[in-house]
Amino acid sequence: MRLVVSILMIGLLIPAKQNFDISANNHDLRIGKQFTDVSPDFLDNFELQSGDLVFRKGSGLISDLFTRISSVEQRFSHVGIIVKYREQIMVAHILGTGGTGDQEFRMDPLRHFIREDRARQFGIYRLNISDEVKCEIESYILSIDETNIFFDDKFDLSTDSALYCSELIYKCVTKATADDACFTISKAGGKRYVSFDDLIRNAEQLIYCQYQKL
């Protein structure tokens, strides 16, 4: 069972040739206008901030299976958190590698994280947090980047030496806010885990984008 769940957490993404389509998915776009221009520079119209959450879904079977871990939000299979680093908008996230769950903490440019060969669709959400907390998030992520963090194939919230993608967000924000109750926690089979539902329950959707196959 652990191997099956670990494979779901890996989030391997299969490339697909796609073009771009944007919809609000039952939400109005909360920042700026409804975009009809979907050029590669469209994100420049959004004032993205440290602490914003970026979800994506790959185009492979594993990604499809992973979306089912959440009971409500089933559009996505992976999540990272935005940090501003050296004047770049980066996404901090953690993946397993292969079936072994080797360490794979990454900081990728946002455009790399959501590019069309990695994401079938993606969404960006904003937490209601202060500028001070955003600075704390940046500090926490940079400290993580200097340590050896392994993929958490046990999904154990009590340890910090190994993390899965949504657990990274949970640990980062709860430490930055000093509030263990800032997110809800899901339960399944008597085990506590952080689902995408927990992360977005009190967040504001900024934009939802879906790539369509040609």
Coordinates of all heavy atoms in Angstrom, one line a residue, residues 55-133:
F55 N -0.7 25.2 -8.1 CA -1.1 23.8 -8.3 C -1.0 23.4 -9.8 O -1.3 24.3 -10.6 CB -2.6 23.5 -7.8 CG -2.8 23.7 -6.3 CD1 -3.0 25.0 -5.8 CD2 -2.8 22.6 -5.5 CE1 -3.2 25.2 -4.5 CE2 -3.1 22.8 -4.1 CZ -3.3 24.1 -3.6
R56 N -0.7 22.2 -10.1 CA -0.7 21.8 -11.4 C -1.2 20.3 -11.5 O -1.2 19.6 -10.5 CB 0.7 21.9 -12.1 CG 1.7 20.8 -11.6 CD 3.1 21.1 -12.2 NE 4.0 20.0 -11.8 CZ 5.3 20.1 -11.9 NH1 5.9 21.1 -12.4 NH2 6.1 19.0 -11.6
K57 N -1.6 19.9 -12.7 CA -1.9 18.5 -13.0 C -1.2 18.1 -14.3 O -1.2 18.8 -15.3 CB -3.4 18.3 -13.2 CG -3.8 16.9 -13.5 CD -5.2 16.7 -13.8 CE -5.6 15.3 -14.1 NZ -7.0 15.1 -14.4
G58 N -0.5 17.0 -14.2 CA 0.2 16.4 -15.3 C -0.8 15.7 -16.3 O -2.0 15.6 -16.0
S59 N -0.3 15.1 -17.3 CA -1.2 14.5 -18.3 C -1.1 13.0 -18.3 O -1.6 12.3 -19.2 CB -0.8 15.0 -19.7 OG 0.5 14.8 -20.0
G60 N -0.4 12.4 -17.3 CA -0.3 11.0 -17.2 C -1.2 10.3 -16.3 O -2.0 11.0 -15.5
L61 N -1.3 9.0 -16.3 CA -2.2 8.2 -15.5 C -1.9 8.4 -14.0 O -2.9 8.5 -13.2 CB -2.0 6.7 -15.8 CG -2.9 5.7 -15.0 CD1 -4.4 6.0 -15.1 CD2 -2.5 4.3 -15.3
I62 N -0.7 8.5 -13.6 CA -0.3 8.7 -12.2 C -0.9 10.0 -11.7 O -1.5 10.1 -10.6 CB 1.2 8.6 -11.9 CG1 1.7 7.2 -12.2 CG2 1.5 9.1 -10.5 CD1 3.2 7.1 -12.1
S63 N -0.8 11.1 -12.5 CA -1.4 12.3 -12.1 C -2.9 12.2 -11.9 O -3.5 12.8 -11.0 CB -1.1 13.4 -13.1 OG 0.3 13.7 -13.1
D64 N -3.6 11.5 -12.9 CA -5.0 11.3 -12.8 C -5.4 10.6 -11.5 O -6.4 11.0 -10.8 CB -5.5 10.5 -13.9 CG -5.5 11.2 -15.3 OD1 -5.5 12.5 -15.2 OD2 -5.4 10.6 -16.3
L65 N -4.6 9.6 -11.1 CA -4.9 8.9 -9.8 C -4.7 9.8 -8.6 O -5.4 9.7 -7.6 CB -4.0 7.6 -9.7 CG -4.3 6.5 -10.7 CD1 -3.3 5.4 -10.6 CD2 -5.7 6.0 -10.5
F66 N -3.6 10.6 -8.7 CA -3.3 11.4 -7.5 C -4.3 12.4 -7.2 O -4.5 12.8 -6.0 CB -1.9 12.1 -7.8 CG -1.5 12.9 -6.6 CD1 -0.9 12.3 -5.6 CD2 -1.6 14.3 -6.6 CE1 -0.4 13.0 -4.5 CE2 -1.2 15.0 -5.5 CZ -0.6 14.4 -4.5
T67 N -5.1 12.9 -8.2 CA -6.1 13.9 -8.0 C -7.2 13.4 -7.0 O -7.9 14.2 -6.4 CB -6.8 14.4 -9.3 OG1 -7.4 13.3 -9.9 CG2 -5.7 15.0 -10.2
R68 N -7.3 12.1 -7.0 CA -8.4 11.5 -6.2 C -8.1 11.5 -4.7 O -9.0 11.1 -3.9 CB -8.7 10.1 -6.7 CG -9.1 10.0 -8.1 CD -9.2 8.6 -8.7 NE -9.4 8.6 -10.1 CZ -9.5 7.5 -10.9 NH1 -9.4 6.4 -10.3 NH2 -9.7 7.6 -12.2
I69 N -6.9 11.8 -4.3 CA -6.6 11.9 -2.9 C -7.4 13.0 -2.2 O -7.8 12.8 -1.0 CB -5.1 12.1 -2.7 CG1 -4.3 10.8 -3.1 CG2 -4.7 12.4 -1.2 CD1 -2.8 10.8 -2.9
S70 N -7.7 14.0 -2.9 CA -8.5 15.1 -2.3 C -10.0 14.7 -2.6 O -10.3 14.2 -3.7 CB -8.2 16.4 -3.0 OG -7.0 16.9 -2.5
S71 N -10.9 15.0 -1.7 CA -12.3 14.6 -1.9 C -13.0 15.7 -2.7 O -14.0 15.4 -3.3 CB -12.9 14.4 -0.5 OG -12.9 15.6 0.3
V72 N -12.6 17.0 -2.6 CA -13.3 18.1 -3.3 C -12.5 18.6 -4.5 O -12.9 18.6 -5.6 CB -13.6 19.2 -2.3 CG1 -14.3 20.3 -3.1 CG2 -14.5 18.7 -1.2
E73 N -11.3 19.1 -4.2 CA -10.4 19.7 -5.2 C -9.6 18.6 -6.0 O -8.6 18.1 -5.5 CB -9.4 20.7 -4.6 CG -8.5 21.3 -5.6 CD -9.2 21.9 -6.8 OE1 -9.6 23.1 -6.7 OE2 -9.4 21.2 -7.8
Q74 N -10.2 18.2 -7.1 CA -9.6 17.0 -7.8 C -9.1 17.4 -9.2 O -9.0 16.6 -10.1 CB -10.6 15.9 -8.0 CG -11.1 15.3 -6.6 CD -11.9 14.1 -6.7 OE1 -12.5 13.8 -7.8 NE2 -11.9 13.2 -5.7
R75 N -8.7 18.7 -9.4 CA -8.2 19.2 -10.6 C -6.7 19.0 -10.7 O -6.1 19.1 -11.8 CB -8.6 20.6 -10.9 CG -10.1 20.9 -11.1 CD -10.4 22.4 -11.2 NE -10.0 23.1 -10.0 CZ -10.0 24.4 -9.9 NH1 -10.3 25.2 -10.9 NH2 -9.7 25.0 -8.7
F76 N -6.0 18.9 -9.6 CA -4.6 19.0 -9.5 C -3.9 17.8 -8.9 O -4.5 17.0 -8.2 CB -4.2 20.2 -8.7 CG -4.9 21.5 -9.2 CD1 -5.7 22.2 -8.3 CD2 -4.7 22.0 -10.5 CE1 -6.3 23.4 -8.7 CE2 -5.3 23.1 -10.9 CZ -6.1 23.8 -10.0
S77 N -2.6 17.6 -9.2 CA -1.9 16.4 -8.7 C -0.6 16.8 -8.0 O 0.1 16.0 -7.4 CB -1.5 15.5 -9.9 OG -0.8 16.1 -10.9
H78 N -0.3 18.1 -8.0 CA 1.0 18.6 -7.4 C 0.9 20.0 -7.0 O 0.1 20.8 -7.6 CB 2.2 18.4 -8.4 CG 3.5 18.6 -7.8 ND1 3.9 18.0 -6.6 CD2 4.5 19.4 -8.2 CE1 5.2 18.4 -6.3 NE2 5.6 19.3 -7.3
V79 N 1.6 20.5 -6.0 CA 1.6 21.8 -5.5 C 2.9 22.3 -5.1 O 3.8 21.6 -4.6 CB 0.5 22.0 -4.4 CG1 1.0 21.2 -3.1 CG2 0.4 23.4 -4.0
G80 N 3.2 23.6 -5.3 CA 4.4 24.3 -4.8 C 4.0 25.6 -4.3 O 2.9 26.1 -4.4
I81 N 5.0 26.3 -3.7 CA 4.7 27.6 -3.1 C 5.7 28.6 -3.7 O 6.9 28.4 -3.9 CB 4.8 27.6 -1.6 CG1 4.4 28.9 -0.9 CG2 6.2 27.2 -1.1 CD1 4.2 28.8 0.6
I82 N 5.2 29.8 -4.0 CA 6.0 30.8 -4.7 C 6.9 31.5 -3.6 O 6.4 31.9 -2.5 CB 5.1 31.9 -5.4 CG1 4.5 31.3 -6.7 CG2 5.9 33.2 -5.7 CD1 3.6 32.2 -7.4
V83 N 8.1 31.8 -4.0 CA 9.0 32.6 -3.3 C 9.8 33.5 -4.3 O 10.0 33.1 -5.4 CB 10.1 31.8 -2.4 CG1 9.4 31.1 -1.3 CG2 10.9 30.9 -3.3
K84 N 10.0 34.7 -3.9 CA 10.8 35.6 -4.7 C 12.2 35.5 -4.3 O 12.6 35.7 -3.2 CB 10.3 37.1 -4.6 CG 8.9 37.3 -5.2 CD 8.5 38.7 -5.1 CE 7.1 38.9 -5.8 NZ 6.7 40.3 -5.8
Y85 N 13.1 35.2 -5.3 CA 14.5 34.9 -5.0 C 15.3 35.5 -6.1 O 15.1 35.2 -7.3 CB 14.7 33.4 -5.0 CG 16.1 33.0 -4.7 CD1 16.7 33.2 -3.5 CD2 16.8 32.3 -5.7 CE1 18.1 32.8 -3.3 CE2 18.2 31.9 -5.5 CZ 18.8 32.2 -4.2 OH 20.1 31.8 -4.0
R86 N 16.2 36.4 -5.8 CA 17.1 37.1 -6.7 C 16.2 37.7 -7.9 O 16.6 37.5 -9.1 CB 18.1 36.2 -7.2 CG 19.1 35.7 -6.1 CD 20.2 34.8 -6.7 NE 21.1 34.4 -5.6 CZ 22.1 33.5 -5.8 NH1 22.3 32.9 -6.9 NH2 22.9 33.3 -4.7
E87 N 15.2 38.4 -7.5 CA 14.3 39.1 -8.5 C 13.6 38.1 -9.4 O 13.1 38.5 -10.5 CB 15.1 40.1 -9.2 CG 15.7 41.2 -8.3 CD 16.4 42.3 -9.1 OE1 16.5 42.2 -10.4 OE2 16.8 43.3 -8.5
Q88 N 13.5 36.8 -9.1 CA 12.8 35.9 -9.9 C 11.7 35.3 -9.1 O 11.7 35.2 -7.9 CB 13.7 34.7 -10.3 CG 14.8 35.1 -11.4 CD 15.4 33.8 -11.9 OE1 14.7 33.1 -12.7 NE2 16.6 33.5 -11.6
I89 N 10.6 34.9 -9.8 CA 9.5 34.3 -9.1 C 9.7 32.8 -9.3 O 9.7 32.2 -10.4 CB 8.1 34.6 -9.8 CG1 7.9 36.1 -9.6 CG2 7.0 33.8 -9.2 CD1 6.6 36.6 -10.3
M90 N 10.0 32.1 -8.1 CA 10.4 30.7 -8.1 C 9.2 29.9 -7.4 O 8.5 30.5 -6.6 CB 11.7 30.5 -7.3 CG 12.8 31.4 -7.8 SD 13.4 30.9 -9.4 CE 14.2 29.3 -9.1
V91 N 9.2 28.7 -7.7 CA 8.2 27.8 -7.1 C 9.0 26.7 -6.3 O 9.8 25.9 -6.9 CB 7.3 27.1 -8.1 CG1 6.3 26.1 -7.3 CG2 6.5 28.1 -8.9
A92 N 8.9 26.7 -5.0 CA 9.5 25.6 -4.2 C 8.5 24.5 -4.1 O 7.4 24.6 -3.8 CB 9.8 26.2 -2.8
H93 N 9.1 23.3 -4.3 CA 8.2 22.1 -4.3 C 9.1 20.8 -4.0 O 10.3 20.9 -4.2 CB 7.4 21.9 -5.5 CG 8.1 21.8 -6.8 ND1 8.1 20.6 -7.6 CD2 9.0 22.6 -7.4 CE1 8.9 20.7 -8.6 NE2 9.5 21.9 -8.6
I94 N 8.4 19.7 -3.7 CA 9.2 18.5 -3.5 C 8.5 17.4 -4.2 O 7.3 17.2 -4.1 CB 9.3 18.2 -2.0 CG1 10.3 17.1 -1.8 CG2 8.0 18.0 -1.3 CD1 10.8 17.0 -0.3
L95 N 9.3 16.6 -4.9 CA 8.8 15.4 -5.6 C 9.6 14.2 -5.2 O 10.7 14.3 -4.7 CB 9.1 15.5 -7.1 CG 8.2 16.6 -7.9 CD1 8.8 16.8 -9.3 CD2 6.8 16.1 -8.0
G96 N 9.0 13.0 -5.3 CA 9.7 11.8 -5.2 C 10.4 11.5 -6.5 O 10.0 12.1 -7.5
T97 N 11.5 10.7 -6.5 CA 12.2 10.4 -7.8 C 12.1 8.9 -8.0 O 12.6 8.1 -7.1 CB 13.6 10.9 -7.7 OG1 14.3 10.3 -6.6 CG2 13.7 12.4 -7.7
G98 N 11.5 8.5 -9.0 CA 11.3 7.1 -9.3 C 10.5 6.4 -8.2 O 9.7 7.1 -7.5
G99 N 10.7 5.1 -7.9 CA 9.9 4.4 -6.9 C 10.6 4.4 -5.6 O 10.1 3.8 -4.6
T100 N 11.8 5.0 -5.5 CA 12.5 5.0 -4.3 C 12.2 6.1 -3.3 O 12.6 6.0 -2.1 CB 14.0 5.0 -4.6 OG1 14.4 6.2 -5.2 CG2 14.4 3.9 -5.5
G101 N 11.6 7.2 -3.7 CA 11.4 8.3 -2.9 C 12.6 9.0 -2.5 O 12.7 9.6 -1.4
D102 N 13.6 9.1 -3.4 CA 14.8 9.8 -3.1 C 14.5 11.3 -3.0 O 13.5 11.8 -3.4 CB 15.9 9.6 -4.2 CG 16.4 8.2 -4.2 OD1 16.3 7.5 -3.2 OD2 16.9 7.8 -5.3
Q103 N 15.4 12.1 -2.3 CA 15.2 13.5 -2.1 C 15.0 14.2 -3.4 O 15.7 13.9 -4.4 CB 16.3 14.1 -1.3 CG 17.6 14.3 -2.1 CD 18.6 15.0 -1.2 OE1 18.8 14.6 -0.1 NE2 19.3 16.0 -1.7
E104 N 14.1 15.1 -3.5 CA 13.9 16.0 -4.7 C 13.3 17.3 -4.3 O 12.2 17.6 -4.7 CB 13.1 15.2 -5.7 CG 13.1 15.9 -7.1 CD 14.5 16.0 -7.8 OE1 15.4 15.2 -7.4 OE2 14.6 16.8 -8.7
F105 N 13.9 18.0 -3.4 CA 13.4 19.4 -3.1 C 13.9 20.3 -4.3 O 15.1 20.2 -4.6 CB 13.9 19.9 -1.8 CG 13.5 21.4 -1.6 CD1 12.3 21.7 -1.0 CD2 14.4 22.4 -1.9 CE1 12.0 23.0 -0.9 CE2 14.1 23.7 -1.7 CZ 12.9 24.0 -1.2
R106 N 13.0 21.1 -4.8 CA 13.4 21.9 -6.0 C 12.9 23.3 -5.8 O 11.9 23.6 -5.2 CB 12.8 21.3 -7.3 CG 13.1 19.9 -7.6 CD 12.4 19.4 -8.9 NE 12.8 20.2 -10.0 CZ 13.7 20.0 -10.9 NH1 14.5 18.9 -10.7 NH2 14.0 20.8 -11.9
M107 N 13.6 24.2 -6.5 CA 13.1 25.6 -6.7 C 13.2 25.9 -8.1 O 14.3 26.0 -8.7 CB 14.0 26.6 -5.8 CG 13.7 26.5 -4.4 SD 14.6 27.8 -3.4 CE 14.0 29.3 -4.1
D108 N 12.1 25.9 -8.8 CA 12.0 26.1 -10.3 C 11.4 27.4 -10.6 O 10.5 27.9 -9.9 CB 11.2 25.0 -10.9 CG 11.9 23.6 -10.8 OD1 13.1 23.6 -10.9 OD2 11.2 22.6 -10.7
P109 N 11.8 28.1 -11.6 CA 11.1 29.3 -12.1 C 9.6 28.9 -12.4 O 9.3 27.8 -12.8 CB 11.8 29.6 -13.4 CG 13.2 29.0 -13.3 CD 13.0 27.8 -12.5
L110 N 8.7 29.9 -12.1 CA 7.3 29.6 -12.2 C 7.0 29.2 -13.6 O 6.2 28.2 -13.8 CB 6.5 30.9 -11.9 CG 5.0 30.8 -12.2 CD1 4.4 29.8 -11.3 CD2 4.4 32.2 -11.9
R111 N 7.6 29.8 -14.6 CA 7.2 29.4 -16.0 C 7.7 28.0 -16.3 O 7.1 27.3 -17.2 CB 7.9 30.4 -17.0 CG 7.3 31.8 -16.9 CD 8.0 32.8 -17.8 NE 7.6 34.1 -17.5 CZ 6.5 34.7 -17.9 NH1 5.6 34.0 -18.6 NH2 6.2 36.0 -17.6
H112 N 8.7 27.5 -15.7 CA 9.2 26.1 -15.8 C 8.2 25.2 -15.2 O 7.9 24.1 -15.7 CB 10.6 26.0 -15.2 CG 11.1 24.6 -15.2 ND1 11.7 24.0 -16.3 CD2 11.1 23.6 -14.3 CE1 12.1 22.8 -16.1 NE2 11.7 22.5 -14.8
F113 N 7.7 25.6 -14.0 CA 6.8 24.7 -13.2 C 5.5 24.5 -13.9 O 4.9 23.4 -13.8 CB 6.6 25.4 -11.8 CG 5.8 24.6 -10.9 CD1 6.4 23.6 -10.1 CD2 4.4 24.8 -10.7 CE1 5.7 22.8 -9.2 CE2 3.7 24.0 -9.8 CZ 4.3 23.0 -9.0
I114 N 5.0 25.5 -14.7 CA 3.7 25.4 -15.3 C 3.7 25.2 -16.8 O 2.7 25.3 -17.5 CB 2.8 26.6 -14.9 CG1 3.5 27.9 -15.5 CG2 2.6 26.7 -13.5 CD1 2.6 29.1 -15.4
R115 N 4.9 25.0 -17.3 CA 5.0 25.0 -18.8 C 4.2 23.8 -19.3 O 3.9 22.8 -18.6 CB 6.5 24.9 -19.2 CG 7.2 23.6 -19.0 CD 8.7 23.7 -19.3 NE 9.3 22.4 -19.2 CZ 10.6 22.2 -19.2 NH1 11.4 23.2 -19.2 NH2 11.1 20.9 -19.2
E116 N 3.9 23.8 -20.6 CA 2.9 22.9 -21.2 C 3.3 21.5 -21.3 O 2.5 20.6 -21.4 CB 2.5 23.4 -22.6 CG 3.7 23.4 -23.6 CD 3.2 24.0 -24.9 OE1 2.0 24.2 -25.1 OE2 4.1 24.1 -25.8
D117 N 4.6 21.2 -21.2 CA 5.0 19.8 -21.1 C 5.0 19.2 -19.7 O 5.4 18.0 -19.5 CB 6.4 19.6 -21.8 CG 7.5 20.3 -21.1 OD1 7.2 21.3 -20.4 OD2 8.7 19.8 -21.2
R118 N 4.7 20.0 -18.7 CA 4.6 19.6 -17.4 C 3.2 19.7 -16.7 O 3.0 19.1 -15.7 CB 5.6 20.4 -16.5 CG 7.0 20.2 -16.9 CD 8.0 21.0 -16.0 NE 9.4 20.7 -16.4 CZ 10.1 19.8 -15.8 NH1 9.6 19.1 -14.8 NH2 11.3 19.5 -16.1
A119 N 2.4 20.4 -17.3 CA 1.1 20.7 -16.7 C -0.1 20.6 -17.8 O 0.0 21.2 -18.8 CB 1.0 22.1 -16.1
R120 N -1.1 19.8 -17.5 CA -2.3 19.9 -18.3 C -3.2 21.1 -17.9 O -3.8 21.7 -18.7 CB -3.1 18.6 -18.0 CG -4.4 18.5 -18.8 CD -5.2 17.3 -18.4 NE -4.5 16.0 -18.6 CZ -4.9 14.9 -18.2 NH1 -6.1 14.7 -17.6 NH2 -4.2 13.8 -18.5
Q121 N -3.1 21.5 -16.6 CA -3.8 22.6 -16.1 C -3.1 23.1 -14.9 O -2.3 22.3 -14.2 CB -5.2 22.3 -15.8 CG -5.5 21.1 -14.9 CD -6.9 20.6 -15.0 OE1 -7.6 20.8 -16.0 NE2 -7.3 19.9 -13.9
F122 N -3.3 24.3 -14.5 CA -2.7 24.8 -13.2 C -3.6 25.9 -12.6 O -4.5 26.5 -13.3 CB -1.3 25.3 -13.4 CG -1.2 26.6 -14.3 CD1 -1.2 27.8 -13.6 CD2 -1.0 26.5 -15.6 CE1 -1.1 29.0 -14.4 CE2 -0.9 27.7 -16.4 CZ -0.9 28.9 -15.8
G123 N -3.5 26.1 -11.3 CA -4.2 27.1 -10.6 C -3.3 27.8 -9.7 O -2.4 27.2 -9.1
I124 N -3.5 29.1 -9.4 CA -2.8 29.9 -8.5 C -3.7 30.5 -7.4 O -4.7 31.1 -7.8 CB -2.0 31.0 -9.2 CG1 -1.0 30.4 -10.2 CG2 -1.2 31.8 -8.1 CD1 -0.2 31.5 -11.0
Y125 N -3.4 30.3 -6.2 CA -4.2 30.7 -5.1 C -3.4 31.6 -4.1 O -2.2 31.4 -4.0 CB -4.7 29.4 -4.3 CG -5.8 28.6 -5.0 CD1 -5.4 27.8 -6.1 CD2 -7.1 28.7 -4.6 CE1 -6.4 27.0 -6.7 CE2 -8.1 27.9 -5.3 CZ -7.7 27.1 -6.3 OH -8.7 26.4 -7.0
R126 N -4.2 32.4 -3.4 CA -3.5 33.4 -2.5 C -4.1 33.1 -1.1 O -5.3 33.2 -0.9 CB -3.7 34.8 -2.9 CG -3.1 35.8 -1.9 CD -2.8 37.1 -2.6 NE -1.8 37.0 -3.6 CZ -1.6 37.9 -4.6 NH1 -2.3 39.0 -4.7 NH2 -0.7 37.6 -5.5
L127 N -3.2 32.9 -0.1 CA -3.5 32.9 1.3 C -3.7 34.3 1.8 O -3.0 35.2 1.4 CB -2.5 32.1 2.0 CG -2.2 30.7 1.6 CD1 -0.9 30.1 2.3 CD2 -3.4 29.8 1.8
N128 N -4.5 34.4 2.9 CA -4.6 35.7 3.5 C -3.6 35.8 4.6 O -3.8 35.4 5.8 CB -6.0 35.8 4.2 CG -6.3 37.1 4.8 OD1 -5.6 38.1 4.6 ND2 -7.3 37.1 5.7
I129 N -2.4 36.2 4.2 CA -1.3 36.3 5.2 C -0.6 37.7 5.0 O -0.8 38.4 4.0 CB -0.2 35.2 4.9 CG1 0.2 35.3 3.4 CG2 -0.7 33.8 5.2 CD1 1.3 34.3 3.0
S130 N 0.1 38.1 6.1 CA 0.7 39.4 6.1 C 2.0 39.4 5.4 O 2.6 38.4 5.0 CB 1.0 39.8 7.6 OG 1.9 39.0 8.2
D131 N 2.5 40.6 5.1 CA 3.8 40.8 4.5 C 4.9 40.2 5.3 O 5.9 39.6 4.8 CB 4.1 42.3 4.2 CG 3.3 42.8 3.1 OD1 2.7 42.1 2.3 OD2 3.2 44.1 3.0
E132 N 4.8 40.3 6.6 CA 5.8 39.7 7.6 C 5.8 38.2 7.4 O 6.9 37.6 7.4 CB 5.4 40.1 9.0 CG 6.4 39.5 10.0 CD 6.0 39.9 11.4 OE1 5.0 40.6 11.6 OE2 6.8 39.5 12.4
V133 N 4.6 37.6 7.3 CA 4.6 36.1 7.1 C 5.2 35.7 5.8 O 5.9 34.7 5.7 CB 3.1 35.6 7.2 CG1 3.0 34.2 6.8 CG2 2.6 35.7 8.6

